[in-house]
């Protein structure tokens, strides 16, 4: 499924395009066919959408149990932290989590909460950062990420920054490229 | 003038802004910038494992003019400071004139100046630790009276990042408005998806607009394995073209192609010559649907389409170029729809600077045309008449195989057993382009063409073909035996959900069903202006095999309906007992219905209905029942018969020449002398069968009656003959044809005095013959 998703440029597919592909997976005897032996049609549909394909985006971030199955992915939380906080900072081990993607960053003295995602989830990022801001002595940070094929206009960037500033959090934009997944496992 | 004095010809800084006045549509501007990025991908394909990607972002509905911007970003190798300088300096071209999409090095300046007043270019290579950011502020440059654009260096977050981002802001009002139009995004997406379809498909380039990938526009053509047979030759629906041309030296300065043995360009005397191999290659094919405009040949240069759906290959121009170009395709369908398409790569032909056309008056372009369509007319009869060699080009081959659009396998056109289903195949093509898996191969189209020729038998579950058609578009009648094999019937949701479950037919759908099963009366069609009653545009449909019910669900032999003013449609049930058993004339009833409709619409029944009928009759183009009008009609029909006979006669002209009586030969020669085009030779006409076009009606009849088999079965007359084995039956068929034909011949040749009853019979004969003629008029 991930190989097909790569070929289709999943993240750039229109919603009808995604729906059509969900249906193809459902109809595929090797995918939907296998799954239907264990669950109802409706459950199979939901599973395809909510488990592997929701994990696909997270796996590309290097987060979750499905990381070993994507061929290419982003560099991971280190890239975010070092871009946002500086080269001396690193990710606090075991602190990377999703919903939204976030981690703790440290320079050995202080720790900061950093969360990141696409511009479309800015609302969630701000809410998460605000919740940290009232509990934490350091300013939390938000990184809006783009990938090849995505651009954000200057006007939108400025608005993001003003929104963050208004809320007392820091925000920056990062365009990332993918690398071959170092954790890829192949079954053949 | 003494030496050592110069005039500075450096253009005024305003020139940069003026470039923006050049007419470029928004999509063309974007394409110029995409071209530059794609050129980089083609020259250095390595992007560090990333898919070569260009992302465009356009203003959204929320943007105001002050905040709106256009961004074109690529992940190419990026530029050094020197390279940026060259890229943004007007008129500099690192590409030369060959091998790249870019042309004159002006594309960047024209495109950016056309869209807005301020452009920022940010670029960097993977070896740089910073981005170079140049700002081109046109009003500022103009005011400063010098070509100077400030730049700065911005540290990179990640040193290995590379690529170029062009951001255009301070958009021009017109461009901003154009980009905000509701359809603008759709048009740009479709245009760019079409123009770059080859590079997106074959080179794996990725192009996005506002975060959505552009799907390449794929040609919806019949598979190469599909064939038709003409004169014993099997013709594949796809013809490959690969014409290697001699190597030449391309002048990188002016574009001129020089022979190999020169060292300096013969055109501009520069020495920037490079040996290039040249080739014309690609394919021509048959689209699975016919369309009024959506057909023709795409011509590509370096993978980008320059001409889209071009139709000039379908014109024939005589070699002297004296006559007007003659359209040769499509000429066989009433609606002028076509389906020959293709993709021809001709990288060596110079396009115009807008990349919307080639330099057509060049040897290179004519060579391309010759490789595709040859030099003779595509129409073999016309070629023969002009004493030109038979055309055996790839296009001529497709033309002879697929020029007509008759349903069935003979021309590879989907049908429903009664007629072609062109509209449906256009819908299928949409499903093809929407990536619907069932519509990717041509199987559904082929099934429909096949089942048209092989109507299914004994299908007890269904007593109406048209119903199955409506329910399962494309699936058609199931071939016996196939149903059981098909265990993995595509899920019900694969069939567009609108068709599932069986919908109740709306009135409009019912009318469409009537139209789908009807012949029009062309002589009644057209505009009628009745004094004090107003104007209508009439269409009359003679519906076959369907019982008619009007808008009030009453069964009726005919009814009139106006869905959209001023078009009035009259539907006539041609099988109704009123006509079949009681002998009422369908045309009269149709016009009566129209007349009554007018009276009701005007709420005026003071005009007698029969009086109104007369007004209608006077305005229709049906021939009057007068000897002169009927004689003209008969002569017109005989002309059509002669035209259809000519190619058949041409097979064995001598045989048929001998069937003519001496006086008929003389008459034919006399008429030839009076009517033929100058320069044609009578002996030639006798030898090639053209004489029949001048033969008197009696001779035409004799030739038909002496060898009827040659002219039946769709050659001149539709009626089937070869399938009948009993000789009595064949005789009967011939007799039924000859009787009305004799009526025509009598009137056309002798113009006798006839009574109205006789005229009535002749009119029926004319209609019988007209219905039977195999020329689709």
């Amino acid at each position: 499924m991930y190989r097909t998703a790569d070929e289709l440029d999943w993240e750039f597919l229109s919603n009808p395009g995604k729906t059509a592909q969900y249906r193809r997976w459902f109809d595929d005897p090797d995918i939907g066919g296998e799954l239907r032996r264990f669950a109802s049609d409706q459950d199979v549909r939901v599973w395809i959408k909510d488990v592997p394909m929701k994990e696909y985006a997270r796996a590309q971030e290097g987060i979750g149990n499905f990381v070993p199955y994507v061929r290419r992915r982003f560099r991971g939380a280190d890239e975010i932290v070092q871009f946002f906080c500086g080269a001396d900072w690193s990710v606090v081990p075991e602190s990377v989590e999703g919903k939204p993607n976030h981690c703790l960053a440290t320079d050995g003295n202080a720790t900061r909460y950093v969360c990141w995602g696409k511009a479309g989830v800015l609302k969630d990022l701000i809410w998460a950062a605000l919740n940290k801001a009232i509990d934490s002595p350091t300013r939390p940070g938000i990184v809006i990420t783009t990938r090849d094929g995505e651009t954000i206009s200057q006007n939108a960037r400025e608005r993001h920054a003003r929104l963050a500033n208004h809320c007392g959090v820091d925000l920056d934009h990062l365009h990332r490229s993918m690398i071959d997944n170092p954790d890829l496992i192949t079954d053949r | 003038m003494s030496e050592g004095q110069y005039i500075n010809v450096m253009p005024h800084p305003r020139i940069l802004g003026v470039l923006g006045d050049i007419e470029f549509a928004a999509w063309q501007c974007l394409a110029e910038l995409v071209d530059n990025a794609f050129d980089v991908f083609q020259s250095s394909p390595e992007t560090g494992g990333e898919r070569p990607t260009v992302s465009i972002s356009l203003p959204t509905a929320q943007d105001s003019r002050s905040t709106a911007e256009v961004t074109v970003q690529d992940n190419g190798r990026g530029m050094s400071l020197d390279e940026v300088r060259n890229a943004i300096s007007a008129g500099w071209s690192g590409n030369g004139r060959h091998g790249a999409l870019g042309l004159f090095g002006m594309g960047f300046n024209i495109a950016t100046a056309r869209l807005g007043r301020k452009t920022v270019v940010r670029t960097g290579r993977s070896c740089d630790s910073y981005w170079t950011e140049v700002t081109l502020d046109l009003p500022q440059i103009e005011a400063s009276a010098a070509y100077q654009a400030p730049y700065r260096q911005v540290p990179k977050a990640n040193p290995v990042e590379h690529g170029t981002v062009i951001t255009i802001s301070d958009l021009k009002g017109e461009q901003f408005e154009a980009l905000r139009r509701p359809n603008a995004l759709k048009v740009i997406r479709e245009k760019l998806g079409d123009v770059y379809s080859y590079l997106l498909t074959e080179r794996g380039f990725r192009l996005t607009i506002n975060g959505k990938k552009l799907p390449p526009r794929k040609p919806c053509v019949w598979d190469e394995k599909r064939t038709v047979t003409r004169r014993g030759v099997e013709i594949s629906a796809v013809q490959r073209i690969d014409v290697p041309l001699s190597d030449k030296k391309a002048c990188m300065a002016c574009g001129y192609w020089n022979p190999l043995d020169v060292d300096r360009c013969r055109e501009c005397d520069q020495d920037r010559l490079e040996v290039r191999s040249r080739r014309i290659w690609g394919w021509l094919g048959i689209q699975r649907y016919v369309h009024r405009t959506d057909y023709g040949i795409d011509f590509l240069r370096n993978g980008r389409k320059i001409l889209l759906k071009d139709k000039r290959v379908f014109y024939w121009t005589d070699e002297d170029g004296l006559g007007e170009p003659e359209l040769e395709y499509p000429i066989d369908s009433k609606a002028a729809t076509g389906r020959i398409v293709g993709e021809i790569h001709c990288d060596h032909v110079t396009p115009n600077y807008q990349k919307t056309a080639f330099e057509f008056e060049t040897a290179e372009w004519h060579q391309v045309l010759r490789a595709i369509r040859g030099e003779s007319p595509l129409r073999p009869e016309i070629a023969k008449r002009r004493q030109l060699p038979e055309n055996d080009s790839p296009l001529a081959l497709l033309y002879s195989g697929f020029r007509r659009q008759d349903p069935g396998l003979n021309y590879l056109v989907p049908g429903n057993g009664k007629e072609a289903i062109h509209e449906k195949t256009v819908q299928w093509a949409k499903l093809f382009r929407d990536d619907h898996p069932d519509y990717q191969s041509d199987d559904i189209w082929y099934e429909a063409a096949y089942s048209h020729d092989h109507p299914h038998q004994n299908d007890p579950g269904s007593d109406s073909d048209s119903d199955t058609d409506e329910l399962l578009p494309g699936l058609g009648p199931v071939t016996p035996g196939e149903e059981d094999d098909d265990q993995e019937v595509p899920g019900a949701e694969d069939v567009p959900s609108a068709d599932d479950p069986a919908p109740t037919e709306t009135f409009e759908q019912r009318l469409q069903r009537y139209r789908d099963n009807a012949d029009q009366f062309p002589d009644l069609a057209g505009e009628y202006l009745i004094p004090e009653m107003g104007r209508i545009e009439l269409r009359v449909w003679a519906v076959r095999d369907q019982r008619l019910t009007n808008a009030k669900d009453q069964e009726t032999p005919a009814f009139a309906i106006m869905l959209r003013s001023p078009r009035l449609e009259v539907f006539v049930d041609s099988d109704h007992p009123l006509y079949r058993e009681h002998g009422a004339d369908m045309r009269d009833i149709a016009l009566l219905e129209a007349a009554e409709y007018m009276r009701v619409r005007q709420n005026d029944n003071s005009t007698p209905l029969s009086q109104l009928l007369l007004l209608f009759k006077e305005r229709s183009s049906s021939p009057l029942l007068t000897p002169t009008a009927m004689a003209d009609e008969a002569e017109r029909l005989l002309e059509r018969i002669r035209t259809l006979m000519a190619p058949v006669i041409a097979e064995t002209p001598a045989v048929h020449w001998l069937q003519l009586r001496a006086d008929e030969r003389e008459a034919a020669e006399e008429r030839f002398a009076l009517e033929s085009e100058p320069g044609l030779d009578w002996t030639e006409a006798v030898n090639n069968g053209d004489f029949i076009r001048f033969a008197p009606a009696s001779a035409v009849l004799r030739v038909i009656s002496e060898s009827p088999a040659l002219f039946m079965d769709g050659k001149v007359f539709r009626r089937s003959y070869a399938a009948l084995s009993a000789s009595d039956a064949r005789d009967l068929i011939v007799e039924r044809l000859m009787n009305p034909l004799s009526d025509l011949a009598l009137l056309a040749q002798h113009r006798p005095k006839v009574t109205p009853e006789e005229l009535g019979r002749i009119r029926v004969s004319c209609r019988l013959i007209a219905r039977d003629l195999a020329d689709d008029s």
Side-chain angles (χ1 to χ4, degrees):
Chain A
M1 285 173 71
Y2 283 5
R3 196 162 48 232
T4 310
D6 280 351
E7 283 161 11
L8 288 173
D9 283 315
W10 187 254
E11 53 278 12
F12 298 111
L13 268 193
S14 62
N15 283 338
K18 284 181 179 158
T19 307
Q21 186 55 42
Y22 284 133
R23 199 159 57 208
R24 262 170 249 156
W25 278 323
F26 179 80
D27 292 335
D28 187 330
D30 290 341
I31 299 170
E34 285 293 316
L35 293 168
R36 275 187 301 240
R37 289 167 39 196
F38 305 103
S40 72
D41 285 6
Q42 187 51 33
D43 288 348
V44 168
R45 275 176 224 279
V46 170
W47 189 86
I48 288 177
K49 208 167 156 175
D50 276 6
V51 181
M53 289 324 289
K54 212 155 251 176
E55 288 294 334
Y56 177 68
R58 288 157 48 75
Q60 289 188 329
E61 292 287 345
I63 301 174
N65 296 330
F66 285 63
V67 175
Y69 307 109
V70 289
R71 283 186 306 160
R72 291 179 63 80
R73 66 169 174 86
F74 297 109
R75 289 181 174 82
D78 291 317
E79 182 183 21
I80 305 279
V81 162
Q82 276 157 22
F83 160 72
F84 189 75
C85 307
D88 304 336
W89 289 67
S90 59
V91 177
V92 173
E94 311 286 311
S95 70
V96 180
E97 282 175 75
K99 296 180 186 176
N101 299 328
H102 66 272
C103 69
L104 293 176
T106 178
D107 62 352
N109 302 316
T111 59
R112 279 185 82 178
Y113 173 91
V114 181
C115 60
W116 68 96
K118 304 205 301 185
V121 298
L122 178 61
K123 192 170 68 176
D124 301 331
L125 297 175
I126 290 203
W127 181 244
L130 280 179
N131 271 300
K132 288 293 158 192
I134 56 166
D135 297 329
S136 162
T138 50
R139 268 169 88 95
I142 295 173
V143 180
I144 302 287
T145 57
T146 47
R147 60 169 81 203
D148 288 346
E150 286 171 355
T151 52
I152 300 178
S153 73
Q154 194 52 41
N155 179 48
R157 285 166 197 265
E158 281 162 15
R159 190 159 186 86
H160 295 163
R162 281 169 53 211
L163 277 168
N165 193 36
H166 188 83
C167 300
V169 295
D170 294 334
L171 182 145
D172 211 339
H173 294 87
L174 174 65
H175 186 83
R176 294 179 300 168
S177 305
M178 285 194 174
I179 52 168
D180 287 330
N181 182 5
D183 303 315
L184 178 71
I185 52 161
T186 47
D187 57 354
R188 49 186 104 157
Chain B
M1 189 170 77
S2 61
E3 283 196 22
Q5 293 180 305
Y6 295 97
I7 289 173
N8 185 348
V9 292
M10 190 168 113
H12 190 274
R14 204 184 301 138
I15 190 78
L16 282 178
V18 171
L19 287 178
D21 295 339
I22 295 177
E23 281 283 333
F24 263 52
W27 74 265
Q28 282 179 290
C29 296
L30 297 170
E32 284 298 330
L33 302 177
V34 173
D35 277 354
N36 291 343
F38 279 4
D39 272 340
V40 172
F41 294 150
Q42 304 220 59
S43 64
S44 58
E46 269 308 303
T47 51
E50 285 288 282
R51 283 268 299 283
T53 303
V54 175
S55 354
I56 298 173
S57 86
L58 299 174
T60 60
Q62 288 84 44
D63 281 305
S64 67
R65 196 173 144 198
S66 61
T67 63
E69 61 185 41
V70 172
T71 314
V72 178
Q73 176 168 10
D74 70 58
N75 61 356
R77 65 165 187 260
M79 291 181 273
S80 67
L81 187 58
D82 265 355
E83 286 170 325
V84 188
R85 179 181 299 127
N86 286 330
I88 64 177
S89 300
W92 186 89
S93 176
N95 296 325
R97 293 287 293 267
H98 294 282
L101 294 167
L103 256 185
F104 297 89
M106 303 267 274
F108 172 87
N109 302 89
I110 296 174
T112 53
R114 178 97 187 138
L115 290 171
R117 290 180 187 81
K118 184 174 168 192
T119 300
V120 176
V121 180
R122 189 168 94 146
T123 185
R125 300 168 301 175
S126 59
C127 55
D128 303 330
S129 56
Y130 51 81
W131 298 106
T132 302
E133 203 174 272
V134 192
T135 303
L136 276 162
D137 190 321
L138 296 183
Q140 257 183 30
I141 292 177
E142 217 171 283
S144 77
Y147 290 104
Q148 282 191 337
Y151 77 92
R152 60 182 187 136
Q153 291 182 327
V154 185
K156 279 189 197 168
N158 185 341
V160 296
E161 283 182 277
H162 54 90
T164 303
V165 190
I166 298 162
T167 308
I168 304 155
S169 55
D170 194 1
L171 298 188
K172 292 186 173 171
E174 245 173 62
Q175 299 297 327
F176 176 65
E177 289 307 324
L179 288 170
R180 274 160 56 97
R181 269 182 215 127
N183 250 342
L185 188 62
K186 187 164 171 275
V187 171
I188 291 172
R189 285 181 65 86
E190 282 178 6
K191 270 287 185 190
L192 295 183
D194 200 355
V195 164
Y196 293 111
S197 64
Y198 174 80
L199 292 171
L200 297 179
T201 319
E202 302 298 320
R203 300 287 163 84
F205 293 173
R206 185 165 60 184
L207 184 55
T208 66
I209 296 187
N210 290 354
K212 288 278 177 290
K213 194 167 83 154
L214 254 69
R217 186 180 201 270
K218 297 176 291 181
C220 182
V221 290
W222 289 97
D223 193 277
E224 212 161 354
K225 69 175 187 271
R226 306 296 187 196
T227 59
V228 297
T229 306
R230 298 280 177 270
R231 292 193 292 173
V233 178
E234 216 176 334
I235 303 173
S236 162
V238 174
Q239 301 291 321
R240 303 258 160 208
I241 291 178
D242 192 354
V243 183
L245 306 174
S246 58
D247 289 0
K248 288 217 169 178
K249 278 186 174 167
C251 175
M252 303 313 279
C254 76
Y256 186 78
W257 288 103
N258 294 275
L260 287 176
D261 57 357
V262 303
D263 294 324
R264 301 190 79 84
C265 176
R266 283 187 174 175
E267 185 69 27
C268 70
D269 205 36
Q270 299 250 9
D271 62 355
R272 287 173 55 202
L273 302 186
E274 281 181 26
V275 177
R276 293 285 168 116
S277 57
R278 305 173 316 148
R279 201 171 138 221
I280 301 163
W281 61 282
W283 54 269
L284 301 179
I286 301 299
Q287 196 162 254
R288 298 182 208 162
Y289 57 96
V290 305
H291 200 270
R292 271 176 195 277
T293 52
D294 182 8
Y295 68 96
I297 316 295
D298 296 333
F299 290 90
L300 294 84
R301 172 182 172 275
N302 296 330
R304 171 184 166 166
K305 286 182 190 169
I306 301 293
L307 293 175
L308 292 95
K309 297 174 190 151
D310 196 70
K311 297 174 179 67
R312 73 196 71 213
V313 294
F314 302 132
Y315 283 85
W316 179 74
T317 317
D318 65 274
E319 55 183 358
D320 307 322
L322 291 175
E324 284 287 304
E326 282 179 45
L327 181 68
E328 300 198 283
Y329 177 87
I331 53 172
D332 295 295
S333 54
K334 265 180 281 185
T337 51
R339 56 178 179 147
I340 296 180
V341 295
E343 188 177 284
I344 302 294
H345 298 254
C346 48
D347 301 348
H348 64 292
V349 187
T350 315
N352 67 353
Y353 78 93
Q354 288 185 304
K355 298 179 197 163
T356 52
F358 287 100
E359 304 275 353
F360 292 126
E361 292 308 321
T362 56
E364 282 79 28
W365 175 252
H366 288 292
Q367 208 169 17
V368 172
L369 283 188
R370 267 201 305 281
I372 297 169
R373 65 148 296 136
E375 292 186 77
S376 293
L378 299 173
R379 299 159 293 176
E381 286 305 310
I382 305 291
K384 209 188 281 178
R385 216 176 297 158
R386 305 230 183 203
Q387 298 179 327
L388 291 166
E390 192 171 332
N391 192 334
D392 60 356
S393 66
L395 182 63
L397 205 58
L398 283 185
Y399 181 76
S400 67
F402 300 92
R403 57 183 285 187
R404 293 175 64 110
Q405 296 162 4
D406 306 348
L409 291 178
N410 192 22
Y411 284 97
L412 219 48
V413 172
N416 59 10
K418 297 190 189 84
E419 63 206 339
I421 47 168
H422 296 315
E423 280 173 27
K424 204 171 275 179
T425 56
V426 172
Q427 292 164 14
W428 294 348
K430 190 174 179 310
L431 292 165
F432 165 87
R433 297 226 155 83
D434 288 347
D435 273 333
H436 195 295
D438 296 348
Y439 293 83
Q440 296 309 303
S441 80
D442 65 8
D443 290 343
I444 283 175
W445 283 261
Y446 189 81
E447 290 267 310
Y450 177 90
S451 58
H452 176 86
D453 293 344
H454 305 84
H456 59 144
Q457 297 138 0
N458 305 330
D459 185 357
S462 139
D463 51 4
S464 160
D465 293 355
S466 54
D467 283 349
T468 21
D469 268 1
E470 291 300 322
L471 279 176
L472 297 169
L475 297 183
V478 177
T479 329
E482 217 170 85
E483 203 171 24
D484 294 336
D485 302 341
D486 210 353
Q487 288 297 325
E488 282 291 327
V489 179
E493 69 268 14
D494 272 345
V495 178
S497 56
D499 295 328
D500 184 29
T504 46
E505 191 182 42
T506 64
F507 182 57
E508 293 211 13
Q509 285 167 341
R510 191 199 309 163
L511 294 183
Q512 192 52 45
R513 171 160 60 82
Y514 293 158
R515 292 185 204 107
D516 289 343
N517 292 285
D519 294 313
Q520 276 200 63
F521 286 144
D523 52 324
L524 298 187
E527 191 183 85
Y528 291 77
L529 183 64
I530 309 287
E532 274 128 56
M533 288 274 176
R535 183 179 78 92
I536 55 154
E537 275 173 32
L538 185 64
R539 277 195 184 189
V540 181
W541 305 90
V543 183
R544 301 176 304 262
D545 304 329
Q546 315 277 320
R547 297 290 66 80
L548 292 189
T549 43
N550 63 15
K552 292 176 185 162
D553 283 330
Q554 299 160 317
E555 286 214 17
T556 171
F559 68 94
I561 180 89
M562 184 176 280
L563 287 182
R564 197 183 306 148
S565 177
R567 171 173 297 170
L568 183 68
E569 291 181 279
V570 180
F571 295 87
V572 183
D573 172 359
S574 60
D575 306 310
H576 198 276
L578 179 62
Y579 319 110
R580 294 181 71 103
E581 294 166 16
H582 301 285
D585 186 309
M586 280 188 274
R587 285 175 165 77
D588 291 349
I589 299 292
L591 291 185
L592 265 181
E593 289 289 345
E596 178 60 9
Y597 180 90
M598 299 283 260
R599 291 211 311 174
V600 172
R601 182 170 77 163
Q602 284 304 107
N603 199 12
D604 163 22
N605 48 18
S606 62
T607 315
L609 192 55
S610 46
Q611 184 61 29
L612 200 50
L613 177 64
L614 175 65
L615 294 177
F616 266 93
K617 288 222 139 203
E618 282 171 354
R619 283 159 178 75
S620 85
S621 60
S622 303
L624 293 177
L625 198 62
T626 63
T628 329
M630 287 320 303
D632 287 348
E633 175 72 4
E635 187 49 52
R636 239 194 321 273
L637 283 167
L638 282 164
E639 271 312 310
R640 278 167 62 190
I641 293 172
R642 289 187 183 100
T643 309
L644 286 169
M645 285 172 77
V648 183
I649 300 274
E651 307 265 314
T652 48
V655 173
H656 303 293
W657 177 247
L658 292 174
Q659 288 166 341
L660 268 58
R661 290 198 315 251
D663 60 314
E664 287 165 348
R665 291 181 199 159
E666 274 171 29
E669 189 172 353
E670 265 172 41
R671 200 175 146 207
F672 177 86
L674 289 171
E675 296 179 8
S676 73
E677 296 168 42
L680 292 183
D681 178 49
W682 175 240
T683 325
E684 180 65 13
V686 172
N687 289 335
N688 68 15
D690 252 9
F691 68 84
I692 196 68
R693 289 154 28 97
F694 306 95
S698 62
V700 169
L701 260 63
R702 176 162 319 97
V703 171
I704 294 172
S705 68
E706 297 211 359
S707 24
L710 295 180
F711 305 103
M712 311 281 207
D713 297 301
K715 277 171 238 132
V716 177
F717 303 102
R718 287 181 205 281
R719 59 187 64 200
S720 106
Y721 184 81
L724 299 172
S725 51
S727 70
D728 283 359
R730 289 181 163 201
D731 290 348
L732 275 172
I733 285 279
V734 176
E735 204 175 320
R736 284 181 61 189
L737 176 66
M738 296 315 290
N739 284 338
L741 270 179
S742 313
D743 279 345
L744 266 62
L746 175 77
L747 204 56
Q749 225 164 348
H750 302 294
R751 313 239 161 170
K753 260 196 171 355
V754 278
T755 62
E757 282 80 11
E758 279 178 293
L759 273 177
R761 192 185 84 186
I762 292 168
R763 175 166 65 180
V764 173
S765 294
C766 286
R767 285 180 189 163
L768 286 173
I769 294 295
R771 207 174 57 183
D772 198 22
L773 276 184
D775 64 357
D776 276 355
S777 314

